[in-house]
Amino acid sequence: MTAAVLLLVLAALPCALHARLVHEGEDGFSECNGFFHQGSPPQGFTHPGNVKICQRYQGDQHYATLYSTQHKIPVYSAFTYQEGAGGGWGGWMVEPQVDDSKSSLDEVTKGSDAKEHVPDLGTNQALEEDYASTDYQPGALYHRASPALTSSVPLTPEFTEKWAADVDLLIKEKLLPHCESGEHLHLLTGAVPSNTKVNDKVAIPEFIWLAACCNAPEAWSLGIIKRTGDVDGLEQVTVEELENQLSGDIKLFSNQCGGGALHPELRSTSDASTQTDEEPSVQTPGAFSRFFQFIFCVIYEIINTFVCLVWFLFKQVCNIIFGRLYWIWTALTTYIFALSKVLLNIPCDVLCVFANILCGFVRILNNALSVVCLILRLPTRFLCDMASFPYYTICAIPDVGIDILSGVWGVFMLGFSAVFGAFGGSFSVASFAGSSFFQRFIGQSEGYEN
């Protein structure tokens, strides 16, 4: 639970891992020189396309990387062994300053966030999308390091898993038992590019290598090589033999890590071989003692190698079995969860379908009724008008008769009024004329005028 919480916190704060390019004029890898034996980086890696990256984690130096912008893979990364170190925090990170040395982003950042500030992101370094639609994935050179693409190379998942197991076994059973403290154990791990590239951009390594140097209690060194064409193979070599495998005049450790002293196991094997070569044929008590000592060393190495091989095979079988069981369990639970979700959604989907069908029928019925009403509206109004015509016609006859009688009566009354008026007017005129004549006749005209 604590580890999960830590991963969530680190995922929410990606700016906790700071990184910056080490520019010309700075000594070696600047503040990251402490990851190298005696503070001296390897010599001979002078390609102009190589850039130095110093990465820090929460204020502390984390590791140093020499990165090839030509092949877009690391040339090497330097670490100091720390127990319990490593682990990721939610995804692969890129270094914006590799593509834009003037970028203000002096820390590793998620590719999607860095693209907003660096338009040419991916010109000089590999991005996570460069591995899309291929059988390769970003494989960390040292799986205990934080997952930055600048310290990873294209590897198959099977090879990545095998390489991590080989490194763990080497550190646990061969390096730490002969080194006083992990702080004195310096690790260099790198890759030699091939001519094959992923998506014609990121070089697939021909082989990857690891060189170890311990300077306490006495200095010694050891190297291993793992070729990408041989998943199960692992070559254990001296640092000098490893340097000969790398192109150019390469020196991995300052002073050859104690003058080129071998790992104690290689040293004992070498000493035994030398004693056997120089053993005189004269049988003396000392000769018999050295002979039996040699036989004992050979038997010890055979038994030790056999036990290591059996233990390694046992671990691989366990890893495969438990890995497959975990994969099956994850796939089964994912399938059951998805199936349960689908089954639970079926009733809701069925109800939604029925509801949609019902709504569709209602809409169809509504539209049909609307059409019927539209069709029946015109003849219905016509029939109503035709049915009401006799009623309105019959009801209008009395009104028309009354109007006619009113008109006739009015004409009659008008004629009567005219006749009566004519007679009245004539009578008035006759009366007036008679009165005037009578008054004149009897001599009362003055009085009448008065």
Side-chain angles (χ1 to χ4, degrees):
M1 179 63 70
T2 304
V5 173
L6 180 60
L7 290 178
L8 290 175
V9 172
L10 292 177
L13 297 173
C15 59
L17 180 60
H18 297 267
R20 71 174 185 87
L21 296 186
V22 179
H23 301 287
E24 295 294 334
E26 297 187 60
D27 183 21
F29 282 75
S30 189
E31 64 267 32
C32 285
N33 284 337
F35 294 106
F36 302 98
H37 174 60
Q38 295 182 349
S40 179
Q43 300 176 4
F45 299 98
T46 57
H47 193 277
N50 297 340
V51 294
K52 301 176 182 178
I53 306 175
C54 177
Q55 294 178 315
R56 304 185 299 275
Y57 177 66
Q58 292 184 344
D60 298 326
Q61 289 76 23
H62 198 49
Y63 59 90
T65 298
L66 183 67
Y67 189 77
S68 171
T69 58
Q70 176 186 1
H71 301 290
K72 295 178 178 57
I73 60 173
V75 179
Y76 64 77
S77 292
F79 307 88
T80 300
Y81 177 80
Q82 294 180 355
E83 185 67 29
W89 68 127
W92 292 97
M93 299 292 177
V94 298
E95 171 49 55
Q97 288 191 346
V98 172
D99 291 312
D100 183 6
S101 59
K102 299 180 181 180
S103 174
S104 59
L105 297 176
D106 58 347
E107 60 190 25
V108 289
T109 312
K110 289 185 177 181
S112 56
D113 298 333
K115 287 181 180 179
E116 299 178 1
H117 304 277
V118 182
D120 297 330
L121 188 70
T123 303
N124 297 325
Q125 64 180 310
L127 303 179
E128 196 169 0
E129 50 263 34
D130 295 332
Y131 294 85
S133 303
T134 68
D135 296 330
Y136 293 89
Q137 65 180 16
L141 290 176
Y142 183 52
H143 62 283
R144 293 180 180 269
S146 296
L149 287 171
T150 49
S151 61
S152 304
V153 295
L155 299 174
T156 62
E158 182 183 5
F159 191 95
T160 302
E161 182 179 353
K162 194 67 170 62
W163 171 248
D166 290 341
V167 173
D168 276 339
L169 185 65
L170 176 74
I171 292 176
K172 181 179 180 180
E173 298 187 0
K174 292 185 179 294
L175 301 184
L176 291 181
H178 301 283
C179 197
E180 185 178 88
S181 173
E183 297 179 356
H184 299 284
L185 182 59
H186 297 275
L187 302 175
L188 285 175
T189 178
V192 174
S194 66
N195 295 326
T196 307
K197 295 184 177 182
V198 174
N199 287 330
D200 199 28
K201 183 177 180 181
V202 187
I204 299 173
E206 180 180 348
F207 65 86
I208 56 179
W209 54 270
L210 182 144
C213 172
C214 180
N215 54 12
E218 58 182 2
W220 53 262
S221 60
L222 175 68
I224 58 172
I225 296 174
K226 190 174 185 67
R227 303 189 182 277
T228 54
D230 186 4
V231 176
D232 297 320
L234 188 69
E235 302 176 35
Q236 184 171 303
V237 297
T238 64
V239 170
E240 184 178 359
E241 291 172 340
L242 175 58
E243 290 172 344
N244 293 333
Q245 294 280 339
L246 305 177
S247 59
D249 186 15
I250 305 298
K251 297 297 180 184
L252 295 178
F253 297 113
S254 175
N255 296 329
Q256 288 297 90
C257 190
L262 302 178
H263 183 273
E265 291 187 3
L266 293 178
R267 190 186 312 158
S268 61
T269 304
S270 177
D271 292 343
S273 300
T274 303
Q275 290 175 5
T276 303
D277 294 338
E278 296 178 355
E279 189 71 32
S281 60
V282 180
Q283 297 182 359
T284 63
F288 278 111
S289 176
R290 288 192 293 273
F291 176 74
F292 284 118
Q293 182 180 3
F294 169 71
I295 295 298
F296 175 78
C297 290
V298 171
I299 295 174
Y300 171 79
E301 289 298 329
I302 292 175
I303 295 175
N304 184 47
T305 303
F306 178 76
V307 171
C308 292
L309 179 61
V310 171
W311 174 247
F312 174 75
L313 293 176
F314 176 75
K315 287 180 63 177
Q316 294 305 310
V317 171
C318 290
N319 288 336
I320 292 174
I321 293 175
F322 287 109
R324 294 300 179 267
L325 289 176
Y326 175 77
W327 180 84
I328 294 173
W329 170 255
T330 303
L332 182 61
T333 53
T334 304
Y335 175 76
I336 293 175
F337 176 77
L339 182 61
S340 302
K341 185 177 179 181
V342 171
L343 292 176
L344 291 175
N345 287 335
I346 288 176
C348 296
D349 295 338
V350 171
L351 292 176
C352 291
V353 170
F354 280 114
N356 291 333
I357 293 174
L358 182 59
C359 292
F361 278 120
V362 172
R363 284 194 293 269
I364 292 172
L365 181 60
N366 180 50
N367 293 333
L369 292 176
S370 299
V371 172
V372 171
C373 291
L374 181 63
I375 293 173
L376 296 178
R377 183 181 299 173
L378 292 176
T380 301
R381 292 184 63 181
F382 177 76
L383 293 175
C384 290
D385 292 340
M386 290 294 295
S388 60
F389 176 76
Y391 169 77
Y392 288 115
T393 303
I394 295 172
C395 292
I397 292 175
D399 295 335
V400 172
I402 292 172
D403 291 338
I404 293 173
L405 291 176
S406 298
V408 172
W409 178 255
V411 171
F412 175 74
M413 291 301 295
L414 181 61
F416 178 78
S417 297
V419 171
F420 184 78
F423 279 105
S426 300
F427 180 77
S428 297
V429 171
S431 297
F432 179 75
S435 298
S436 298
F437 176 77
F438 183 74
Q439 288 177 1
R440 289 181 178 269
F441 180 75
I442 62 176
Q444 294 179 354
S445 67
E446 293 180 358
Y448 174 77
E449 290 176 357
N450 293 331

